[in-house]
Amino acid sequence: DTVIPYFNRFIESFPTVEALAEADLQVVLKHWEGLGYYSRARNLHKAAKLLVSDYNSILPKEYKAIQAIPGIGPYCAAAITSIAYGNPVPVVDGNVLRVFTRFWGIEEDIRNVKLRNRLFEDLTPFVEESQDPASFNQAIMELGALICRPQNPNCSSCPISKDCNALATNRVKQLPFKSKKEPTPHYTIGVAIIRKDEKILIGKRKDDGFLGGLWEFPGGKKKDGETITQTIKREVKEETNVTIELGDCVTIVKHAYSHFKITMHAYLADWVEGEPEPLSADELRWVAVNELDSFPFPKANTVILKTLDTYFTSYKS
């Protein structure tokens, strides 16, 4: 439900692979803004360019060939080749892992890539025998999502329960085995909304890094022993060579990424001296407040943007 409006807007703006290939990456990222996993948007853009230039705008059909396209790994390649093209390749996602570790009574850690590879090999002959790879793969994924659920599986409604090892040995609750995840790191971040001549300083993250191509307010991680205001002044100087005078705290934003969490403290600041230099960014730019909405920002920064109206009424007039 969350993604549908994004999808419709994306397809309306980029209705063909050629349209996506010709689009500016900043426009593509702006369409993606709020979804997270921005590397997927960058890879879609790269993939479109490659398909147009090297593949006559047609996606390859074979499992291995599809994986040459940016952003498409084994799981997506298996789904595409089996569902779109009817090729006998098994899809091994989390649902499939759960179904077959229970069905075959496998006690190995499902975090282990070797187990995924093993199930891929073991399932291949069954997909081939089914003569309908698309239906087979989708059926197993749906079985895992709706019946063979992580908690409270509905074994009485399962069409393959009579041969299920976990059910027969009373191990449904124990399988699949999943090792404990490492604790999620947390970082305290400080950023500055730097004002000068009715404009705000923003920086563009390096394209090849985390959240690459997105814009943000200058700042960074708090070090041990620092106050948050000390962090902001230091980070701004290190990132931009600009000296600032800090004002009020605008907002504090808590946000979770896939592998870590942050608490971001955003402070108003006034430029004091120094010509901005992109020492850790691809680009720095002074932007009018009413232009900020046209730039793609990470989610935490968009939350900050929504709080700025009361502080910059005169800037917008």
Side-chain angles (χ1 to χ4, degrees):
D1 289 346
T2 300
V3 175
I4 287 171
Y6 284 92
F7 175 81
N8 290 336
R9 185 177 58 158
F10 200 91
I11 296 301
E12 183 178 343
S13 298
F14 316 115
T16 64
V17 67
E18 292 86 0
L20 181 55
E22 292 168 4
D24 185 274
L25 177 58
Q26 289 289 293
V27 176
V28 175
L29 288 171
K30 185 64 181 178
H31 277 69
W32 199 272
E33 187 181 60
L35 281 176
Y37 299 98
Y38 290 93
S39 61
R40 295 178 180 179
R42 294 195 300 273
N43 280 329
L44 270 174
H45 191 241
K46 289 178 185 176
K49 286 181 173 294
L50 181 64
L51 288 173
V52 170
S53 64
D54 293 8
Y55 291 85
N56 197 29
S57 300
I58 298 173
L59 194 71
K61 295 183 179 181
E62 300 303 322
Y63 175 63
K64 289 186 178 179
I66 297 175
Q67 293 180 64
I69 307 302
I72 300 182
Y75 165 69
C76 283
I80 292 168
T81 196
S82 64
I83 297 172
Y85 298 125
N87 289 322
V89 178
V91 174
V92 183
D93 71 346
N95 288 312
V96 175
L97 276 168
R98 184 166 59 257
V99 168
F100 283 104
T101 50
R102 284 174 173 167
F103 186 73
W104 283 324
I106 298 172
E107 296 182 345
E108 294 174 38
D109 187 353
I110 62 169
R111 294 190 191 277
N112 194 329
V113 176
K114 290 182 179 179
L115 177 58
R116 289 177 179 264
N117 295 337
R118 172 185 163 186
L119 284 183
F120 181 89
E121 297 296 330
D122 290 348
L123 286 169
T124 296
F126 292 97
V127 179
E128 292 172 343
E129 290 172 15
S130 73
Q131 298 182 358
D132 187 355
S135 294
F136 181 93
N137 281 331
Q138 291 180 86
I140 298 302
M141 288 189 284
E142 286 295 280
L143 179 64
L146 302 178
I147 294 176
C148 194
R149 301 178 298 243
Q151 305 296 326
N152 302 315
N154 187 4
C155 297
S156 63
S157 298
C158 179
I160 59 174
S161 61
K162 65 183 180 67
D163 295 315
C164 178
N165 182 284
L167 184 61
T169 58
N170 197 29
R171 291 187 298 159
V172 173
K173 291 183 178 180
Q174 285 73 47
L175 296 176
F177 168 69
K178 192 174 187 179
S179 59
K180 286 188 177 181
K181 197 174 182 180
E182 291 291 325
T184 303
H186 174 271
Y187 305 109
T188 300
I189 308 292
V191 300
I193 298 98
I194 305 169
R195 305 172 287 191
K196 179 191 176 188
D197 299 331
E198 301 191 354
K199 291 190 176 181
I200 307 297
L201 186 65
I202 58 174
K204 180 170 170 284
R205 295 182 67 94
K206 291 184 178 295
D207 283 335
D208 58 356
F210 179 65
L211 300 175
L214 300 181
W215 294 78
E216 65 181 0
F217 300 110
K221 295 178 185 176
K222 180 178 176 293
K223 292 182 177 180
D224 290 342
E226 283 185 330
T227 65
I228 194 64
T229 54
Q230 289 172 334
T231 295
I232 295 171
K233 289 180 179 180
R234 173 185 56 76
E235 283 284 344
V236 167
K237 186 67 175 178
E238 291 175 359
E239 288 186 359
T240 69
N241 197 32
V242 164
T243 302
I244 59 174
E245 181 178 331
L246 283 178
D248 296 335
C249 178
V250 173
T251 188
I252 299 174
V253 180
K254 293 186 177 182
H255 187 66
Y257 294 97
S258 56
H259 300 299
F260 63 94
K261 297 178 181 179
I262 65 167
T263 300
M264 180 179 285
H265 301 249
Y267 276 71
L268 291 175
D270 290 306
W271 174 86
V272 176
E273 64 178 0
E275 186 66 27
E277 300 177 40
L279 302 178
S280 62
D282 272 349
E283 181 183 352
L284 294 174
R285 191 182 298 186
W286 291 106
V287 178
V289 175
N290 57 10
E291 296 175 335
L292 287 171
D293 286 343
S294 64
F295 292 83
F297 282 87
K299 183 65 178 290
N301 281 255
T302 62
V303 175
I304 296 170
L305 286 171
K306 293 175 182 177
T307 70
L308 296 184
D309 281 353
T310 56
Y311 293 93
F312 292 101
T313 304
S314 62
Y315 279 40
K316 287 192 168 188
S317 60

